[in-house]
Amino acid sequence: MTTDDLPAGLTEPARLALEQAGYRRLGDLDGVPEAELRRLSGVGPRALRLLKLALEARGLALT
């Protein structure tokens, strides 16, 4: 799997949903609307929280 810089605490369903949607790295998520990620099956509140924290640590953000 090529999701090497996504947060370690993400569940496998969340990782698979992100990968299938074309999001393989944190940089792919910069500027993506949060609502778009919420629609992915497997990406819930916990996954969104982890992603936001990881993005913030790199100076990136969802919209």
Side-chain angles (χ1 to χ4, degrees), residues 38-57:
R38 286 184 188 276
R39 288 191 293 266
L40 298 177
S41 178
V43 178
R46 182 175 179 275
L48 283 170
R49 185 175 61 251
L50 291 171
L51 290 169
K52 287 181 192 178
L53 289 171
L55 286 163
E56 183 180 304

Side-chain angles (χ1 to χ4, degrees), residues 14-34:
R15 287 181 177 278
L16 289 174
L18 290 167
E19 184 174 352
Q20 289 172 352
Y23 305 118
R24 290 172 174 79
R25 303 184 57 80
L26 277 176
D28 296 337
L29 295 168
D30 189 34
V32 171
E34 184 176 332

